[in-house]
């Protein structure tokens, strides 16, 4: 192997085409290591300086029967020489490791796209398993429609590892690294990072590490030495804002946001939680950072998780719980208690397809109304939503700010697409992070010289946070209605009415930044409003229609409760308002109810993010309708 | 008997909780709220016993917290001049767990009932006991749902006729002590509300125990299940029925006329005169099998009822272990937020 392998230089003897962006999808059996392969290619792209966005897609079953359609796992990666917003609608390149992966993904590959197939898995048995009567690779329609590269990846990998002493089965398992090597060659990716990664990952099994490195190099050399690939591609580094970047997934960014909130508030963090897809990685990540004063408590159920978090908050810690939709349903009563006791609490809901167990590994935005209203009584809870994987960091800090300043539970609505997707993150300077310091009550506050736990700050309407252990401030709180001020139990009708309105007023009065409208031309008559993970596809679609000469404005909501103060005015400024959502129109319902705006709701609930191309059509249609 | 007296590590349940500068009286623990239980309710007796007992611990009042669920007994915190949270149905152990983990300087008490702890909150109860969180759980067992006005509870006898079971209840009841021991609780005791001395003694041992302490208190509901424990309150009947156990002592009752002896894999009752003194079982609160066998001597019909401390044994508490893990992590690694955010793989874009 030559020493210039992997320095990002052009391989010899092939035509080099320059591209501004490429979407690659690795697809295989869930045991084929496609997530790892995609992840490594992502790191290579990041190290090279491309902008990128990724989207894994995997089955809910850990290992569905091998070679079947339900067992297909894929990883899509979009990298470019400019700032991109989504993991891409459709792949330019599809790597299919078996017939099931081909069948499940081929319809997404546009005409003329590159298809790289591992032919070794195309046995009669495997073909039959997924309903292919004949080998599609022998079918001319496939070769006529796509640029097909048939590569016996398993055979070539086993051959490359012949002298390692590894058994055939172990050797064959490195075929994903062969695929990665081949793709790395095609796209001139730097490779030192992957080799270093493999040696670290398998540090305890040096023979496996070496086998993977060999397979990776064999893939690279296959591209270099055989003549089946006439063209390689170059995607130049992106011109991103100045600073230091890293690649980060939504769940990791959320966990880091929690760590940072603990540090910036000076409070110990207690995460009480119960494992649930796709939120468990937040628990996994936070459990690694106990040296930041973080306690993670894997409770017996969702209810105990949020209960422990609330108990910790009562004791003066920052209590957090993390879950997905079904778990949020179970936590409702405790969130109501947090509303009544007015204690800080962060509830993270990484939304997935519902109702009920629904689609555990797929994405959806259908918990918005549950977050807003899914409790008994008038039970207002602030709601914030991140718009991209890296934005989860800021969203977590913002949730902590609101919880601590206003002494309230806060719901943070992430989703499966954000949680597992990744993108480059401009790492913030720790010095610039907001100060979240809180002041506990230490002195009696009432005119009669006693302590009233429900005597409020006149500006924020927050009640004092008097933690047990504070002398002279002994008091009792609970779920029963409180007398205004004293906090004693009260069944007085007028007091209840007053307290219901007071709790609502407190949440309505939370200071949130105005929503910013993106309308480069300033001439838009149509506004598209989104929230959460649809930021990428909506933003990309807006760019596309603008390129076609149609102005459109985009507003994306971080704050869903309370809405930004300028939102009503923003909505009224436009002739039409379009609201795309991965639900049946929940934000649209809220906007219509609150602002009497005739919003056009565009909805899709397929468990997958919007495609920019479909939203482009939606926006273009509305814009044309307005100009006619 | 305390854990210390058993030759176990001298780490009491109250270590780390600051002590009061001044001696305290029962009235120091009474809040300004009017007590609103029904006249004759057993809860009054327990409240008085607790308010009289707490001053003997000599703790700072502000470092004591009562957390309750929902039910008549769960109003308890409002009447205590300590910190308190009246939470939601069945969840007090979960909330108290978070509090205990976050705050080693608090003495945390859970007040619950048979419906709250054993029905809606059964899961939290067994897991709290299994983890051995340093909480004192007072389970007021009146064998009925009082606050919802008289439905059968998970400790009501089979066939019980109530508002929700006019033809008789079909449910087989829990024996709360057996349940707690099955969950490997490190401290389990039982007392009768009217027995102030016995109750106080169990409370004292529970307070000094480091770990979860479940104390079942038989408590009379004069409105919906009046007289449920009357046979234990009649002097003559009580003598025949109540078997009070003390660690290290031979188990006899009825003025010494009766004794507990081994019977098959469990325990039975014999006339002391009929057995050799060597056959009388000596209570060992560290022996889980013996504790469990004792719990099975108590029957739903109160033919025999064992009181006192069934089990008192030391095991690392969950909250101590959780804090130790954090402290060890802190000692091993300095928190470096910038380092965490940067991770291993970064790249820099020049301006």
């Amino acid at each position: 192997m030559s020493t210039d392998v992997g320095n990002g230089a052009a391989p010899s003897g092939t035509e080099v085409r320059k591209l501004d962006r490429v979407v690659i999808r690795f697809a295989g059996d869930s045991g084929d290591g496609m997530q790892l392969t995609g992840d490594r290619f992502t790191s290579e792209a990041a190290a090279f300086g491309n902008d990128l966005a990724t989207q894994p897609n995997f089955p809910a079953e850990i290992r569905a029967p091998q070679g079947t359609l339900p067992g297909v796992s894929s990883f899509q990666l979009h990298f470019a020489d400019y700032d991109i917003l989504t993991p891409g609608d459709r792949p330019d390149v599809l790597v299919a490791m078996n017939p099931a992966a081909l069948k499940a993904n081929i319809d997404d590959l546009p005409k003329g796209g590159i298809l790289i197939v591992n032919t070794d898995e195309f046995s009669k048995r495997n073909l039959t398993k997924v309903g292919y009567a004949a080998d599609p690779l022998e079918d001319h329609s496939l070769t006529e429609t796509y640029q097909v590269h048939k590569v016996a990846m398993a055979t070539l990998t086993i051959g490359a590892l012949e002298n390692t002493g590894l058994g055939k089965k172990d050797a064959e398992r490195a075929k994903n690294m062969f695929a990665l090597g081949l793709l790395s060659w095609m796209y001139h990716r730097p490779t030192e990072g992957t080799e270093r990664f493999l040696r670290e990952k398998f540090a305890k099994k040096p023979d496996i590490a070496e086998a993977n490195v060999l397979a990776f190099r064999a893939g690279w050399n296959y591209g270099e030495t055989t003549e089946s690939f006439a063209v390689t591609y170059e995607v130049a580094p992106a011109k991103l804002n100045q600073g230091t970047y890293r690649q980060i997934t939504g769940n990791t960014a959320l966990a880091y946001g929690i760590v940072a909130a603990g540090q910036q508030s000076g409070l110990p963090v207690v995460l009480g939680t119960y494992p649930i897809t796709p939120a468990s990685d937040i628990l996994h990540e936070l459990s690694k950072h106990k040296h930041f004063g973080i306690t993670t408590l894997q409770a017996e159920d969702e209810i105990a998780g949020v209960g422990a978090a609330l108990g910790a908050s009562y004791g003066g810690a920052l209590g957090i719980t993390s879950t997905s939709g079904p778990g949020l349903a179970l936590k409702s009563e405790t969130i109501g208690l947090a509303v009544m006791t007015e204690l800080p609490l962060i509830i993270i809901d990484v939304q997935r397809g519902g109702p009920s167990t629904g689609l555990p590994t797929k994405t959806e935005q259908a918990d918005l109304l549950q977050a807003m209203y899914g409790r008994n009584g008038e039970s207002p809870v602030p709601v914030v939503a991140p718009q991209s994987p890296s934005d989860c960091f800021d969203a977590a800090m913002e949730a902590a700010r609101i919880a601590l300043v206003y002494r309230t539970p806060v719901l943070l609505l992430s989703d499966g697409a954000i949680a597992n997707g990744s993108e480059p993150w401009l790492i913030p300077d720790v010095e610039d992070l907001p100060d979240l310091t809180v002041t506990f009550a230490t002195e009696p506050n009432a005119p009669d010289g006693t302590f009233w736990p429900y005597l409020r700050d006149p500006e924020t309407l927050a009640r004092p946070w008097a933690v047990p252990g504070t002398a002279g401030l002994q008091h009792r709180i609970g779920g029963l209605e409180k007398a205004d001020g004293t906090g004693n139990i009260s069944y007085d009708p007028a007091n209840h009415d007053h307290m219901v309105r007071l709790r609502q007023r407190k949440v309505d009065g939370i200071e949130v930044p105005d929503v910013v409208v993106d309308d480069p031309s300033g001439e838009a008559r149509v506004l598209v409003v989104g929230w959460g993970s649809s930021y990428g596809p909506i933003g990309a679609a807006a760019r596309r229609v603008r390129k076609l000469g149609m102005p459109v404005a985009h507003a994306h909501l971080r704050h869903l409760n309370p809405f930004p103060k300028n939102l009503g005015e923003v909505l009224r400024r436009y002739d039409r308002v379009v609201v795309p959502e991965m639900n049946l129109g929940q934000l649209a319902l809220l906007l219509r109810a609150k602002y009497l705006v005739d919003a056009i709701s565009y909805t899709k609930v397929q468990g997958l993010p919007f495609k920019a191309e479909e939203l482009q059509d939606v926006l273009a249609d509305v814009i044309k309708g307005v100009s006619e | 008997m305390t854990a210390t007296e058993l030759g176990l590590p001298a780490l009491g349940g109250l270590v780390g909780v600051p002590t009061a500068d001044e001696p305290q009286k029962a009235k120091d623990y009474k809040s300004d709220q009017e007590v609103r239980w029904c006249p004759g309710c057993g809860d009054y007796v327990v409240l008085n016993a607790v308010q009289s007992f707490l001053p003997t611990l000599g703790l700072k009042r502000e470092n004591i917290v009562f957390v309750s669920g929902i039910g008549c007994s769960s109003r308890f915190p409002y009447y205590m001049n300590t910190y308190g949270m009246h939470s939601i149905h069945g969840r007090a152990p979960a909330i108290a767990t978070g509090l205990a983990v976050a705050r080693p300087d608090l003495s945390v008490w859970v007040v619950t009932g048979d419906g709250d702890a054993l029905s809606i909150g059964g899961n939290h109860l067994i897991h709290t006991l299994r983890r051995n969180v340093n909480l004192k759980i007072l389970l007021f067992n009146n064998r009925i749902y009082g606050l919802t006005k008289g439905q059968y509870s998970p400790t009501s006898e089979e066939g019980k006729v109530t508002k929700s079971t006019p033809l008789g209840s079909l449910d087989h009841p829990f024996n709360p002590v057996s349940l707690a021991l099955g969950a490997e609780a490190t401290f389990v005791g039982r007392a009768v509300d009217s027995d102030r001395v016995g109750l106080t003694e169990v409370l004292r041992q529970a307070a000094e125990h480091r770990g979860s302490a479940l104390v079942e208190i038989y408590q009379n509901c004069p409105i919906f299940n009046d007289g449920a424990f009357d046979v234990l309150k009649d002097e003559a009947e009580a003598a025949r029925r109540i078997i009070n156990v003390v660690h290290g002592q031979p188990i006899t009752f009825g003025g010494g006329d009766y004794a507990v002896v081994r019977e098959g894999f469990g325990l039975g009752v014999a006339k002391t005169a009929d057995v050799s003194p060597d056959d009388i079982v000596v209570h060992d609160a560290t022996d889980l099998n013996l504790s469990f066998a004792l719990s099975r001597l108590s029957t739903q019909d109160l033919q025999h009822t064992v009181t006192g401390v069934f089990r008192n044994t030391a095991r690392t508490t969950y909250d101590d272990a959780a804090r130790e893990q954090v402290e060890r992590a802190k000692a091993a690694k300095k928190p470096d937020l910038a380092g965490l955010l940067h991770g291993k793989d970064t790249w820099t874009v020049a301006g």
Side-chain angles (χ1 to χ4, degrees):
Chain A
M1 148 151 288
S2 60
T3 49
D4 64 349
V5 161
N7 61 2
S12 53
T14 52
E15 180 199 337
V16 177
R17 251 177 243 167
K18 287 189 193 307
L19 299 172
D20 59 350
R21 54 179 281 264
V22 174
V23 179
I24 298 176
R25 185 184 295 175
F26 295 95
D29 196 68
S30 43
D32 281 345
M34 289 299 98
Q35 302 303 324
L36 177 70
T37 309
D39 205 48
R40 282 320 309 164
F41 199 97
T42 306
S43 292
E44 291 176 7
F48 190 65
N50 296 126
D51 194 16
L52 58 92
T54 72
Q55 191 61 65
N57 188 5
F58 42 83
E61 294 74 19
I62 302 301
R63 289 283 157 87
Q66 210 180 358
T68 60
L69 288 170
V72 173
S73 162
S74 69
F75 187 101
Q76 184 161 308
L77 156 77
H78 185 186
F79 61 105
D81 69 358
Y82 63 97
D83 69 310
I84 50 170
L85 299 173
T86 76
D89 289 354
R90 298 173 184 284
D92 303 304
V93 185
L94 172 64
V95 180
M97 299 300 283
N98 67 6
L102 178 69
K103 187 156 198 183
N105 291 284
I106 190 68
D107 288 346
D108 291 339
L109 190 66
K111 249 186 184 172
I114 300 173
L115 172 65
I116 301 172
V117 200
N118 168 29
T119 53
D120 286 325
E121 287 291 316
F122 281 67
S123 64
K124 187 143 184 123
R125 191 163 157 264
N126 286 353
L127 289 166
T128 317
K129 229 186 253 183
V130 296
Y132 277 126
D135 188 347
L137 302 179
E138 304 302 325
D139 185 342
H140 288 296
S141 67
L142 199 71
T143 46
E144 278 161 17
T145 315
Y146 309 106
Q147 307 174 47
V148 182
H149 298 281
K150 302 181 206 174
V151 186
M153 293 187 202
T155 309
L156 288 163
T157 304
I158 293 166
L161 303 188
E162 212 169 27
N163 299 326
T164 58
L166 272 189
K168 225 171 143 180
K169 217 168 172 186
D170 279 338
E172 194 256 345
R173 286 174 62 181
K175 64 179 184 293
N176 60 330
M177 286 301 112
F178 182 96
L180 180 63
L182 176 57
L183 270 288
S184 301
W185 172 81
M186 272 180 78
Y187 290 93
H188 306 191
R189 302 285 97 188
T191 58
E192 313 82 34
T194 293
E195 298 198 0
R196 193 175 59 234
F197 168 84
L198 289 170
R199 293 209 165 93
E200 273 173 26
K201 181 176 166 74
F202 298 110
K204 285 188 185 142
K205 296 176 187 163
D207 52 331
I208 301 286
E210 233 18 70
N212 277 285
V213 170
L214 279 177
F216 177 64
R217 289 182 177 175
W220 175 285
N221 290 339
Y222 178 83
E224 179 81 359
T225 52
T226 63
E227 288 178 0
S228 46
F229 293 86
V231 187
T232 62
Y233 304 89
E234 229 174 57
V235 180
K239 288 164 270 313
L240 298 173
N241 287 332
Q242 185 182 345
T244 302
Y245 288 78
R246 65 172 286 171
Q247 181 204 342
I248 199 157
T249 67
N251 273 347
T252 309
L254 238 176
Y256 287 3
I258 299 298
V259 174
Q263 294 294 292
Q264 295 303 102
S265 63
L267 299 178
V269 172
V270 176
L271 174 78
T273 189
Y274 188 76
I276 184 168
T277 303
S280 305
D281 282 340
I282 298 168
L283 163 63
H284 303 161
E285 187 62 38
L286 283 173
S287 66
K288 290 189 267 184
H289 305 300
K290 299 205 159 151
H291 59 291
F292 285 97
I294 290 171
T295 304
T296 56
L297 200 160
Q298 182 180 313
E300 60 271 23
D301 59 28
E302 297 280 0
I303 300 171
V306 66
L310 183 63
S313 283
Y314 175 59
L318 177 56
I320 319 255
T321 190
S322 53
T323 189
S324 187
L328 182 60
L330 286 165
K331 294 179 197 295
S332 304
E333 192 188 9
T334 310
I335 299 170
L337 179 64
V339 168
M340 204 63 161
T341 53
E342 303 191 40
L343 287 167
L345 176 71
I346 299 176
I347 306 108
I348 299 164
D349 172 13
V350 184
Q351 301 165 95
R352 63 191 217 186
S356 189
T357 311
L359 302 171
T361 58
K362 310 296 179 196
T363 196
E364 207 160 277
Q365 295 181 295
D367 294 351
L368 175 57
L369 293 182
Q370 180 179 211
M372 289 289 294
Y373 301 118
R375 290 165 297 283
N376 62 306
E378 295 290 351
S379 181
V381 172
V383 181
V384 300
Q387 64 184 27
S388 74
S390 69
D391 188 47
C392 286
F393 181 83
D394 294 331
M397 293 282 286
E398 176 65 352
R401 175 189 74 88
I402 294 173
L404 293 170
V405 170
Y406 295 91
R407 314 280 149 81
T408 175
V410 177
L411 254 152
L412 190 157
L413 290 179
S414 179
D415 68 35
I418 285 181
N420 295 313
S422 73
E423 64 179 358
W425 177 38
L426 177 57
I427 303 166
D429 193 333
V430 169
E431 304 295 315
D432 299 338
L433 294 177
D435 178 13
L436 301 176
T437 313
V438 295
T439 313
F440 293 128
T442 53
E443 300 291 331
N445 59 353
D448 62 0
T450 64
F451 177 69
W452 288 11
Y454 280 75
L455 203 58
R456 291 162 196 279
D457 178 294
E459 273 187 26
T460 60
L461 298 181
R463 74 177 193 89
W465 193 2
V467 300
T470 315
L473 306 192
Q474 289 93 323
H475 65 279
R476 277 65 55 190
I477 57 174
L480 286 170
E481 183 60 283
K482 313 274 173 288
D484 188 17
T486 66
N488 290 330
I489 301 173
S490 169
Y491 300 112
D492 178 66
N495 176 73
H496 176 57
D497 187 273
H498 174 70
M499 290 300 278
V500 166
R501 292 172 199 279
L502 196 49
R503 285 186 287 265
Q504 184 67 47
R505 203 157 77 231
K506 179 175 91 166
V507 171
D508 289 346
I510 291 171
E511 288 283 346
V512 305
D514 277 353
V515 65
V516 176
V517 180
D518 176 36
D519 177 15
S521 70
E523 289 168 6
R525 294 169 61 192
V526 171
L527 172 73
V528 53
V529 181
W531 67 281
S533 72
S534 54
Y535 171 77
I538 293 175
R543 284 182 183 180
R544 289 181 183 205
V545 297
R546 286 172 197 147
K547 263 194 189 160
L548 298 173
M550 293 181 275
V552 65
H554 177 197
H556 215 76
L557 294 171
R558 144 90 78 240
H559 293 275
L560 295 145
N561 195 29
F563 284 130
K565 290 201 173 56
N566 67 333
L567 183 59
E569 185 269 319
V570 166
L571 293 170
R572 280 189 294 274
R573 231 190 279 161
Y574 296 89
D575 294 344
R576 297 316 306 257
V577 174
V578 188
V579 186
E581 290 177 89
M582 295 186 287
N583 58 43
L584 296 185
Q586 301 191 6
L587 175 63
L589 181 79
L590 296 176
L591 295 179
R592 284 174 184 158
K594 189 164 167 80
Y595 300 106
L596 295 177
V597 58
D598 184 16
I600 301 168
S601 178
Y602 178 75
T603 62
K604 192 173 92 167
V605 278
Q606 297 186 354
L608 295 168
F610 283 117
K611 289 185 179 2
E613 65 185 25
E614 66 176 314
L615 293 182
Q616 173 189 344
D617 294 344
V618 170
L619 297 183
D621 281 352
V622 177
I623 295 166
K624 280 177 201 154
V626 168
S627 16
E628 270 160 16
Chain B
M1 172 189 59
T2 65
T4 313
E5 286 163 9
L6 293 170
L8 296 165
L11 187 62
L14 303 168
V15 169
V17 184
T19 48
D21 306 327
E22 303 277 332
Q24 300 166 337
K25 293 203 173 74
K27 72 170 172 44
D28 296 331
Y29 281 90
K30 294 186 200 304
S31 78
D32 59 356
Q33 298 295 297
E34 180 198 353
V35 184
R36 290 190 191 159
W37 287 312
C38 307
C41 178
D43 290 357
Y44 283 98
V45 192
V46 185
L47 178 65
N48 286 334
V50 171
Q51 285 170 337
S52 303
F53 154 72
L54 283 178
T56 68
L57 296 179
L59 302 175
K60 287 198 162 162
R61 262 189 310 134
E62 61 266 27
N63 289 79
I64 300 175
V65 184
F66 281 83
V67 182
S68 64
I70 292 293
C72 293
S73 59
S74 287
R75 298 294 176 97
F76 199 95
Y78 290 115
Y79 309 135
M80 297 296 300
N81 193 4
T82 62
Y83 281 87
M85 187 195 285
H86 175 215
S87 76
I88 46 177
H89 208 8
R91 317 303 172 199
I95 291 168
T97 293
L99 181 62
V101 166
R103 295 289 301 273
D105 59 329
L106 302 178
S107 171
V108 184
W109 297 70
V110 169
V111 178
T112 182
D114 39 318
D116 194 56
L118 301 172
S119 204
I120 194 166
N123 199 34
H124 307 308
L125 181 74
I126 57 174
H127 287 280
T128 300
L129 297 177
R130 163 177 77 81
R131 290 192 186 103
N132 198 31
V133 186
N134 193 18
L135 304 173
K136 314 305 149 203
I137 304 171
L138 309 184
L139 195 170
F140 292 43
N141 182 5
N142 57 13
R143 297 182 167 183
I144 198 76
Y145 279 42
L147 199 62
T148 50
K149 304 193 176 174
Q151 301 82 10
Y152 72 99
S153 90
T155 55
S156 298
E157 57 276 16
E158 272 179 51
K160 190 170 190 69
V161 173
T162 70
K163 266 187 200 150
S164 61
T165 51
L167 305 182
S169 153
L170 306 175
D171 283 31
H172 183 73
F174 267 139
N175 175 331
V177 171
S178 294
L179 181 79
L181 290 169
E184 294 191 43
T186 54
F187 184 104
V188 185
R190 181 189 280 143
V192 182
D193 57 1
S194 53
D195 175 16
R196 177 87 166 245
V197 175
L199 173 59
T200 304
E201 175 56 19
V202 174
L203 291 178
R204 187 184 65 78
Q205 292 188 39
E208 286 168 5
H209 173 72
R210 191 161 195 88
S212 295
L214 181 98
V215 179
E216 183 191 13
I217 303 166
Y218 284 162
Q219 171 251 325
N220 189 48
C221 172
I223 308 297
F224 296 108
N225 203 20
D226 194 23
F229 304 103
D230 272 3
V231 288
L232 304 180
K233 296 175 183 181
D234 175 280
E235 211 171 314
E237 287 291 331
R240 269 198 314 118
R241 293 167 186 259
I242 291 186
I243 307 171
N244 192 57
V245 296
V246 178
H247 177 70
Q249 302 282 320
I251 306 172
T252 61
F253 63 103
D257 291 347
Y258 299 94
V260 171
V261 294
R262 299 197 185 274
E263 194 178 281
F265 288 106
L267 300 174
V269 168
K271 280 196 168 144
T272 310
D274 297 345
V275 297
S276 144
D278 294 345
D279 290 339
I280 298 173
V281 172
V282 175
H283 183 39
D284 178 356
T286 66
D287 181 336
L288 179 59
N289 290 331
L290 176 63
S291 304
F292 190 78
L294 278 171
S295 80
R296 304 314 296 165
L297 271 183
S298 310
T299 48
Q300 182 74 17
D301 63 6
L302 307 175
Q303 185 64 38
H304 289 114
T305 289
V306 181
T307 60
V309 175
F310 291 74
R311 178 165 162 84
N312 185 356
T313 187
R315 191 172 83 220
T316 305
T317 73
Y318 179 85
D319 41 319
D320 282 335
R323 285 186 293 266
E324 204 224 323
Q325 223 173 40
V326 170
E327 288 313 313
R328 225 184 313 150
K330 280 181 176 169
K333 204 168 167 188
K334 257 186 74 180
D336 168 16
L337 185 57
L340 174 73
L341 302 188
H342 280 72
K344 282 188 194 160
D345 282 316
T346 60
W347 69 97
T348 300
V349 174

